[in-house]
Amino acid sequence: MPTPNAATGLPRKVLIIGGGFAGLELARGLANDNRFEVTLIDRTNHHLFQPLLYQVATASLAAPDIARSIRQILENARNVTVLMDEVTSIEPDEKRATGLSGTVYTYDYLLLAAGARTSYFGNDAWAAHTMGLKSLADAQNIRRTVLSNLERAELTTDEAERTRLMTVAIIGGGPTGVELAGAFADLIHRSLKSNFRRIDTTKLRVILIEGSNHILEIYDNDQSIYARQHLESIGVEVRTQTKVTNVRAGALEFLDGSTLEASAIIWAAGVAANPLTQCIGVPTDRGGRITPNPDLSIPGRPEIFVAGDLVSMRDREDKPVPGVAPAATQMGAHLAKLLKEELRLEAKGFTGNKHDLRPKFRYFDKGMMAIIGKNHAVVKAGKMRLRGLMAWLAWLFVHILFLVGFRNKLAVLLGWAYSYLRNNPEARVIVYPPTSSRP
Ligand SMILES: Cc1cc2nc3c(=O)[nH]c(=O)nc-3n(C[C@H](O)[C@H](O)[C@H](O)COP(=O)(O)OP(=O)(O)OC[C@H]3O[C@@H](n4cnc5c(N)ncnc54)[C@H](O)[C@@H]3O)c2cc1C
């Protein structure tokens, strides 16, 4: 139990909604500081390392390799209570939030860090016929669908059905679409080729569909051209300037009137903020994100903060702060410092408006990287540009570093690296085929 705060007599109640990168970092930053009584609520019981979700979707990693129980991560933080609940509403005037369980959570400070969700840009009906990639369940669904389709293709004697079963369409040529396309091409054309007797897995089509002129638009032009050339060299069909106008069960329709039949359609074309941002009573942008004050508090609500993928703001160079894990982590760390400093000022008897003294959030851009199949990647960091093997090694190094700290199980990492280097991903077991009745 937290001990009472000397200045107020009570510890401050900090409510964190979301145990992702931002929420977890704030909880860690306040851990064992008895001036705070922290409650972290997440609708899942785990923190998820989303940058490696595509590896679960493409059978290179198992789910536990990229997720860890939030309760376990925070087991030594004695002033932090972790609860699994889905927050359904926030009532800022009453300083409280309500969960799906019916529980009401009150707070002195609130951090809304519930992350992003898949967005269909107003075409919500498409969700029923496509698979998103935001959660472990999504990744397992993609893997199950593609692997099950290959099994069905091995069974069928109908050539047209076999072609349909062996077509994977990925909509969206950003980093997620590119990483998925490259990994699927590697899985199918390298790893699975000797596993089937009736079908030729090299005939499986992986089609990457992008509405604009280039894939990886946020990278330099030559990096995006390089990514396209490499994907094509490993068998991915890249279609740019191709606008999807409709998605039906097992088929896509395009602006030019053509259609494509595909048994697996993956939507990697857009995300929007968690709808909880609508509860705060401030304007949001088209993606549902909030523009906070420079300290990350909500205009007119100094006790409510927003962080991570829910934030729309610009950095010192007037570039948008991207929706990436380092930005979310930095925001969580910034808020931990801010809250501690605020209580320190209070304890010293400061009587002015302490909110005016709050530090501004400064984003430190560490660059970005995208993997394009085995041995190939692109890196853009400051003035540095890498591509090919060097970029891939940099990617591997950064992600292994992250995971070691994250899961602390070197054995899992070595096992993954071993199967990756041998072209032999292990996570190919289909637990619930899509046609079975699940328990
Ligand atoms: C496929 C994919 C690949 C990515 N690759 C990269 C990459 O290579 N590099 C990179 O830097 N970034 C990458 N990102 C982006 C990065 O993962 C996000 O920017 C980061 O996770 C944002 O952190 P966050 O704390 O805002 O939200 P999240 O990490 O998304 O966490 C939000 C948490 O809130 C919980 N939650 C949501 N709604 C509720 C609710 N109503 N009640 C309670 N809990 C709730 C969720 O369960 C989740 O745990 C990738 C994202 C995806 C989806």
Side-chain angles (χ1 to χ4, degrees), residues 1-282:
M1 281 292 289
T3 53
N5 175 273
T8 64
L10 283 173
R12 294 303 157 92
K13 284 188 186 176
V14 180
L15 182 64
I16 303 174
I17 303 176
F21 287 92
L24 194 58
E25 196 63 21
L26 175 59
R28 279 174 161 157
L30 300 182
N32 297 320
D33 183 330
N34 288 330
R35 295 171 300 171
F36 300 98
E37 183 186 299
V38 182
T39 303
L40 187 153
I41 305 173
D42 200 291
R43 63 183 171 194
T44 71
N45 78 336
H46 54 264
H47 171 75
L48 178 62
F49 192 73
Q50 291 177 17
L52 288 180
L53 262 180
Y54 84 95
Q55 295 238 358
V56 175
T58 55
S60 294
L61 289 175
D65 294 340
I66 66 160
R68 195 172 174 214
S69 149
I70 300 172
R71 205 171 278 294
Q72 194 184 357
I73 297 172
L74 294 170
E75 66 185 341
N76 294 324
R78 287 181 306 280
N79 62 334
V80 181
T81 302
V82 177
L83 297 171
M84 191 170 111
D85 197 359
E86 177 162 350
V87 173
T88 50
S89 69
I90 300 167
E91 295 88 35
D93 290 340
E94 282 77 33
K95 292 194 183 174
R96 67 177 192 213
T98 308
L100 200 58
S101 65
T103 314
V104 173
Y105 306 94
T106 56
Y107 59 80
D108 297 311
Y109 292 108
L110 170 70
L111 170 61
L112 181 55
R117 66 191 160 101
T118 306
S119 165
Y120 294 85
F121 308 120
N123 300 298
D124 290 349
W126 297 0
H129 312 301
T130 61
M131 296 174 284
L133 185 61
K134 274 301 291 172
S135 64
L136 273 183
D138 289 343
Q140 286 174 321
N141 185 33
I142 292 174
R143 181 171 74 196
R144 183 170 56 230
T145 303
V146 173
L147 293 180
S148 301
N149 286 349
L150 284 176
E151 297 297 339
R152 285 159 63 197
E154 179 86 337
L155 278 176
T156 187
T157 50
D158 178 335
E159 206 46 48
E161 173 67 354
R162 183 174 281 171
T163 305
R164 201 184 64 80
L165 286 167
M166 292 180 65
T167 304
V168 178
I170 302 168
I171 306 168
T176 299
V178 165
E179 290 182 341
L180 274 172
F184 268 127
D186 280 341
L187 173 76
I188 289 143
H189 298 149
R190 293 187 204 215
S191 311
L192 297 182
K193 67 173 186 232
S194 57
N195 286 197
F196 291 85
R197 299 292 170 262
R198 297 178 180 177
I199 56 169
D200 176 0
T201 52
T202 60
K203 296 225 166 90
L204 189 134
R205 295 172 73 197
V206 179
I207 305 166
L208 181 64
I209 297 153
E210 166 60 40
S212 70
N213 294 346
H214 301 285
I215 59 168
L216 291 186
E217 277 237 301
I218 46 174
Y219 286 79
D220 290 357
N221 201 29
D222 61 330
Q223 290 183 307
S224 111
I225 292 169
Y226 164 79
R228 179 181 189 136
Q229 285 170 346
H230 179 65
L231 284 178
E232 287 175 342
S233 77
I234 57 174
V236 176
E237 292 174 42
V238 181
R239 299 188 188 176
T240 47
Q241 293 178 299
T242 305
K243 210 163 164 19
V244 175
T245 51
N246 193 21
V247 185
R248 297 183 269 114
L252 295 172
E253 293 171 10
F254 301 106
L255 192 60
D256 65 5
S258 62
T259 57
L260 172 71
E261 294 213 336
S263 60
I265 303 174
I266 301 169
W267 181 263
V271 290
N274 188 294
L276 281 177
T277 54
Q278 308 300 328
C279 299
I280 307 289
V282 291

